[in-house]
Amino acid sequence: MTIHNLYIFSKNGTLLYYTEWSRLNKSGITKEEEAKLMYGMLFSIKSFVSKISPLDPNEGFLYFKTSKYTLHYFETPSGLKFVLNTDNISQNARELLQQLYREVYLEYVVKNPLCQLNEPIQSELFKLKVDELFKKSPLYLSRTI
Amino acid sequence: MVIYGVYIVSKSGGLIFNHDHNVPRIESERTFNYPLDIKLSYENKKIVVCFGQKDGINVGHVLTAVNGSLVTGRDLENGKDVFELLEQPESFPLSLKFSRARMTTNEKIFLASMFYPLFAIASQLSPEPRCSGIEILEADTFRLHCYQTLTGIKFIVVAEPTQNGIEILLKKIYELYADYALKNPFYSLEMPIRCELFETNLQTLLENVEKSGAGSV
């Protein structure tokens, strides 16, 4: 099981945070461009899902799966978006994202008066804690094992 | 076990076939007194609920009838404007009927062409090399399965999240497509599929899968 990378977007589409652990394929465009493409795709998926859904959606889009990876999506009511790419056999990645929001984002960004909301996160402590959370998760197993 | 719909998207991204199978009708009718306790707004030529969901009337539902008279756009059958009517206290109590918006054919074509770039971007943004596009997309109310053939045609099935065996069903639909659409001399490629045999066979296939699972096909 592998975790590839993580994106955090604000409600208006700014890339707040990006980090990667194991990524073999570079998209060939700059990080900023890639973030815009990713946000655009998520935005379209959200509207696609709300239109094609046969019943009233509650949480809406949860994840999508391709032949090589799964993209997990978690959005808070305030519009903050967490996106995690893992391999296809990883389970419960959504709980991990909720945990990331509850235990790391709220604690080390919202409660830090020096962190501006809706701007890219610069805090070193936050970076450290994110890394810690993912590395202790059972989903994180390096490819070499 | 419910299958909601089947869509076939051509190589160039156009919708060439769609079939609604078991789409539930969500409707609710209630009598309202003045003033209204829900907020309505006029969007895309429809009157939709934008705030205040209760009693089965949810945000996003469309106003379909007032006192049994159908609403088209923002007008009633007798030509009166709905919003004007709702502002007059003497017209109350009113019975309003709401339902979840059904997709029109135009919207389906629009959504099919919207899926096409999503499929492509998903494979471009992949952290792993040589990745396919979206195969499964899940939301809390449905799961969408997509199977792309070697020739680039996408077969899409929208079903309940708990419905299993869709992979087999998709391959079966491909088989039906090859048998009844492609072998039909009146069918030209990339054009909408209007083959009766294909539709009837698809219908029986979907019913079989719903009744007794994918193992029976």
Side-chain angles (χ1 to χ4, degrees):
Chain A
M1 292 198 267
T2 336
I3 294 178
H4 296 303
N5 50 2
L6 168 81
Y7 299 80
I8 303 177
F9 292 101
S10 75
K11 78 169 176 211
N12 34 29
T14 324
L15 180 67
L16 297 182
Y17 188 70
Y18 173 76
T19 183
E20 61 185 47
W21 289 276
S22 106
R23 179 168 181 172
L24 295 173
N25 184 40
K26 300 279 177 269
S27 53
I29 44 179
T30 63
K31 209 177 86 183
E32 289 76 26
E33 290 290 320
E34 187 190 289
K36 280 185 207 161
L37 191 62
M38 176 62 99
Y39 187 79
M41 178 180 72
L42 295 170
F43 191 85
S44 310
I45 287 183
K46 257 180 73 180
S47 114
F48 178 81
V49 161
S50 73
K51 287 210 184 80
I52 207 167
S53 173
L55 306 163
D56 289 309
N58 195 13
E59 276 190 280
F61 173 49
L62 302 176
Y63 68 82
F64 73 68
K65 203 178 250 187
T66 72
S67 62
K68 293 283 173 63
Y69 77 106
T70 304
L71 178 143
H72 301 268
Y73 177 76
F74 169 61
E75 182 173 350
T76 69
S78 54
L80 205 64
K81 295 164 183 71
F82 294 86
V83 180
L84 185 69
N85 289 331
T86 66
D87 60 355
N88 282 336
I89 47 169
S90 300
Q91 307 252 310
N92 300 330
R94 208 176 156 73
E95 278 88 86
L96 189 65
L97 287 179
Q98 285 168 341
Q99 199 185 355
L100 169 72
Y101 174 55
R102 203 171 52 230
E103 291 171 13
V104 184
Y105 182 80
L106 289 184
E107 292 297 325
Y108 301 101
V109 175
V110 179
K111 291 188 184 171
N112 181 347
L114 295 176
C115 273
Q116 289 293 315
L117 295 179
N118 298 329
E119 269 174 40
I121 300 166
Q122 308 289 348
S123 159
E124 284 297 324
L125 184 62
F126 175 76
K127 285 177 192 172
L128 207 75
K129 292 289 175 186
V130 170
D131 213 45
E132 215 169 77
L133 175 77
F134 281 98
K135 284 199 169 145
K136 75 167 198 262
S137 135
L139 297 183
Y140 187 89
L141 272 178
S142 124
R143 185 175 306 271
T144 49
I145 300 174
Chain B
M1 304 287 237
V2 182
I3 293 166
Y4 296 121
V6 176
Y7 304 85
I8 302 178
V9 178
S10 74
K11 195 165 63 179
S12 46
L15 185 69
I16 54 173
F17 180 81
N18 82 81
H19 175 84
D20 287 331
H21 192 61
N22 258 329
V23 186
R25 270 201 90 79
I26 302 165
E27 276 183 336
S28 43
E29 191 158 13
R30 247 190 75 209
T31 312
F32 288 86
N33 287 315
Y34 189 80
L36 275 187
D37 49 3
I38 51 175
K39 177 95 183 100
L40 301 176
S41 72
Y42 186 62
E43 289 169 13
N44 292 330
K45 298 184 179 158
K46 285 178 210 139
I47 298 174
V48 292
V49 181
C50 64
F51 182 77
Q53 56 183 36
K54 60 190 281 189
D55 303 338
I57 299 168
N58 288 354
V59 169
H61 281 192
V62 176
L63 180 67
T64 52
V66 177
N67 282 340
S69 139
L70 294 178
V71 178
T72 34
R74 52 186 294 163
D75 298 326
L76 287 172
E77 274 168 357
N78 57 14
K80 277 191 189 157
D81 187 277
V82 175
F83 284 103
E84 271 173 31
L85 185 77
L86 293 178
E87 272 168 21
Q88 297 159 350
E90 61 272 16
S91 54
F92 284 83
L94 276 176
S95 145
L96 304 182
K97 191 174 193 177
F98 293 91
S99 78
R100 181 166 167 77
R102 308 266 288 183
M103 275 189 290
T104 59
T105 312
N106 259 340
E107 277 176 324
K108 281 178 191 156
I109 294 171
F110 170 77
L111 285 180
S113 46
M114 196 163 143
F115 186 72
Y116 188 80
L118 294 179
F119 189 88
I121 296 174
S123 96
Q124 199 197 341
L125 287 176
S126 162
E128 292 271 324
R130 289 185 303 282
C131 179
S132 75
I134 297 176
E135 286 178 349
I136 293 175
L137 185 148
E138 184 164 333
D140 52 354
T141 47
F142 69 92
R143 187 186 279 170
L144 179 149
H145 299 254
C146 176
Y147 171 62
Q148 190 180 29
T149 67
L150 287 175
T151 47
I153 295 162
K154 293 183 189 69
F155 292 88
I156 299 170
V157 167
V158 178
E160 247 186 355
T162 51
Q163 174 89 41
N164 48 23
I166 299 283
E167 286 75 21
I168 306 167
L169 173 68
L170 282 166
K171 304 239 159 84
K172 278 280 169 194
I173 298 174
Y174 184 26
E175 225 174 282
L176 289 182
Y177 167 77
D179 280 348
Y180 297 107
L182 291 184
K183 287 181 189 167
N184 183 335
F186 298 105
Y187 175 68
S188 47
L189 275 178
E190 301 274 304
M191 292 309 263
I193 302 171
R194 289 186 215 289
C195 305
E196 229 172 83
L197 265 179
F198 177 67
E199 271 185 57
T200 46
N201 278 290
L202 181 71
Q203 180 82 32
T204 33
L205 175 68
L206 292 181
E207 272 159 20
N208 275 339
V209 170
E210 271 190 337
K211 235 179 277 160
S212 42
S216 60
V217 291

